[in-house]
């Protein structure tokens, strides 16, 4: 059995990043130095590594939930700032294994013409895809949400002024 | 950037993300609750500080201020402050349980995050929940059943 140690850096939120080796999702754990490390065992001479990024964007119920969060957090004042832009990370690489196998995947920030992930390893590696892609449906949904939040805020302010004026 | 792929997030993961998001919002909201709770618990101090400040001003001005109608109306205004303090004092029955509820709800929601521990947020929420429960028991012991 060959063991492959993968270190993942550059991501703050592991909930959004899914790493699959030979189409099986793998779990990362923090080591003593605080780095995310995964140890994978296989009998094969090659492995296929895929990295995907999950979007915090959904359908109608997600949309309604976000509006509720906006209202609960007092028109977004106490809400957590969202950095979601609808960008999908698509990375796939085939890696040849040796006796000792160490690989570091360094996630980059979303950028126009650069790579999504930099691979640091002395193993033979063939990149099949490596970049950020815009999910147009998600981007459109996020724009609609922004518009809906502005309308909600204006409606709340108008209603509040109306109630105050009737009381006076 | 290329405009192509659609990758839908699994429903279970999306729900978990929203629960954690709610936990973070509740964590932020509990600080307002704490401010209102402290105001309601310490409201009895407000009139005392107000009158003390007026007395100090009168003494420092060698009691000359006592002749001015503005100073006298400020002194009379303390009655309104007493009423406000009284209303705030009685509001502890609502503010303290709400703060405790917000803190506990924030802790529960944040525990749903499988990948991040949120130690700072959970520690602060535990302290606030403990403080709120302590104040609640003290108030119940002092005043008896909810009036």
């Amino acid at each position: 059995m060959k063991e492959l140690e993968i270190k993942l850096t550059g991501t703050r939120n592991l909930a959004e990043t899914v790493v699959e080796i030979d189409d099986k999702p793998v779990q990362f754990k923090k080591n003593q130095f605080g780095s995310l490390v995964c140890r994978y065992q296989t009998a094969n001479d090659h492995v296929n590594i895929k990295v995907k990024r999950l979007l915090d964007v959904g359908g109608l119920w997600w949309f309604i939930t976000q509006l509720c969060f906006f209202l609960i957090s007092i028109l977004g004042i106490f809400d957590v700032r969202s950095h979601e832009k609808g960008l999908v990370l698509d990375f796939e690489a085939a890696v040849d294994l040796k006796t000792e196998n160490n690989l570091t995947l360094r996630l980059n920030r979303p950028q126009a013409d650069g790579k999504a992930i930099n691979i640091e390893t002395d193993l033979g590696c063939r990149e099949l895809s490596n970049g950020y892609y815009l999910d147009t449906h998600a981007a459109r949904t996020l724009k609609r949400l922004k518009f809906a939040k502005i309308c909600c805020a204006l409606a709340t302010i108008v209603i509040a002024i109306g109630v105050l004026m009737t009381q006076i | 950037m290329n405009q192509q792929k659609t990758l839908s997030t699994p429903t279970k993961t999306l729900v978990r993300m929203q629960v954690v998001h709610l936990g973070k919002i509740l964590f932020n909201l509990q600080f307002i609750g704490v401010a209102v709770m402290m105001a309601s618990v310490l409201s009895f101090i407000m009139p005392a500080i107000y009158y003390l400040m007026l007395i100090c001003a009168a003494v420092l001005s060698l009691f000359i201020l006592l002749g001015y109608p503005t100073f006298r109306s400020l002194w009379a205004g303390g009655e309104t402050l007493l009423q406000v303090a009284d209303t705030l004092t009685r509001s502890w029955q609502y503010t303290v349980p709400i703060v405790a509820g917000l803190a506990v709800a924030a802790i529960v929601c944040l525990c749903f995050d499988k990948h991040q521990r949120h130690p700072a947020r959970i520690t602060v929420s535990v302290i606030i929940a403990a403080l709120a429960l302590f104040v609640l028991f003290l108030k119940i012991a002092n005043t008896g059943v909810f009036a």
Side-chain angles (χ1 to χ4, degrees):
Chain A
M1 290 289 269
K2 290 179 183 169
E3 191 175 272
L4 168 66
E5 185 181 285
I6 301 181
K7 203 188 280 185
L8 187 65
T9 63
T11 177
R12 282 186 198 168
N13 194 349
L14 198 55
E16 296 175 350
T17 309
V18 176
V19 178
E20 289 178 357
I21 301 177
D22 291 336
D23 294 323
K24 282 180 229 157
V26 292
Q27 297 292 326
F28 281 78
K29 288 183 184 165
K30 274 194 183 166
N31 64 4
Q32 56 191 347
F33 305 109
S35 303
L36 292 166
V37 174
C38 163
R39 285 186 179 82
Y40 181 79
Q41 290 191 332
T42 179
N44 300 333
D45 294 326
H46 321 276
V47 287
N48 183 281
I49 300 176
K50 285 183 194 170
V51 181
K52 297 181 219 178
R53 185 176 164 268
L54 300 175
L55 297 180
D56 186 7
V57 180
L60 177 64
W61 284 112
W62 172 88
F63 196 90
I64 292 169
T65 309
Q66 298 309 302
L67 286 178
C68 290
F69 286 170
F70 180 71
L71 292 170
I72 290 168
S73 60
I74 311 178
L75 303 183
I77 295 170
F78 293 95
D79 198 356
V80 181
R81 199 165 166 219
S82 170
H83 300 280
E84 187 59 76
K85 291 186 175 85
L87 291 167
V88 176
L89 188 160
D90 191 33
F91 172 86
E92 189 175 351
V95 178
D96 301 323
L97 299 179
K98 296 193 286 197
T99 39
E100 263 191 47
N101 303 292
N102 292 304
L103 187 121
T104 300
L105 298 174
R106 202 174 291 278
L107 267 73
N108 294 322
R109 287 186 178 205
Q111 47 192 345
D113 296 314
K115 289 184 180 179
I117 292 180
N118 288 335
I119 308 174
E120 293 167 12
T121 183
D122 55 357
L123 303 171
C125 220
R126 289 178 303 285
E127 285 180 20
L128 304 169
S129 63
N130 189 353
Y132 281 103
Y133 300 93
L134 182 68
D135 182 338
T136 48
H137 177 73
R140 223 179 300 133
T141 306
L142 289 167
K143 267 191 195 158
R144 282 185 198 142
L145 179 65
K146 200 172 178 180
F147 179 71
K149 280 181 179 176
I150 292 169
C151 292
C152 254
L154 287 172
T156 307
I157 290 166
V158 164
I159 290 169
I161 292 171
V163 164
L164 274 169
M165 284 179 74
T166 51
Q167 298 224 331
I168 293 167
Chain B
M1 283 175 230
N2 297 331
Q3 302 192 359
Q4 290 183 24
K5 311 224 172 184
T6 29
L7 182 76
S8 61
T9 308
T11 308
K12 202 172 162 188
T13 308
L14 197 60
V15 167
R16 198 181 283 272
M17 281 177 173
Q18 303 325 304
V19 171
V20 173
H21 186 172
L22 178 64
K24 290 176 185 173
I25 292 173
L26 292 175
F27 175 80
N28 291 341
L29 282 175
Q30 70 185 340
F31 291 105
I32 305 178
V34 167
V36 175
M37 180 181 84
M38 295 316 290
S40 69
V41 167
L42 299 173
S43 56
F44 65 93
I45 290 176
M46 282 161 44
I49 293 175
Y50 181 78
Y51 282 119
L52 201 63
M53 277 170 50
L54 287 178
I55 290 168
C56 286
V59 166
L60 285 170
S61 68
L62 300 173
F63 300 101
I64 296 170
L65 271 178
L66 287 174
Y68 285 88
T70 314
F71 184 84
R72 277 185 257 143
S73 64
L74 276 174
W75 188 270
E79 292 285 329
T80 317
L81 189 62
L82 275 168
Q83 286 171 8
V84 168
D86 186 51
T87 311
L88 268 176
T89 306
R90 279 186 273 117
S91 72
W92 70 267
Q93 299 168 36
Y94 312 104
T95 57
V96 177
I98 286 172
V99 167
L102 278 175
V104 169
I107 293 166
V108 167
C109 288
L110 289 171
C111 287
F112 273 84
D113 195 341
K114 283 199 296 187
H115 301 280
Q116 272 182 287
R117 292 269 171 240
H118 305 282
R121 284 189 175 113
I122 289 176
T123 307
V124 169
S125 295
V126 164
I127 291 170
I128 288 174
L131 178 70
L133 287 171
F134 175 69
V135 169
L136 189 66
F137 285 130
L138 261 181
K139 282 285 191 179
I140 290 173
N142 277 340
T143 59
V145 188
F146 277 93

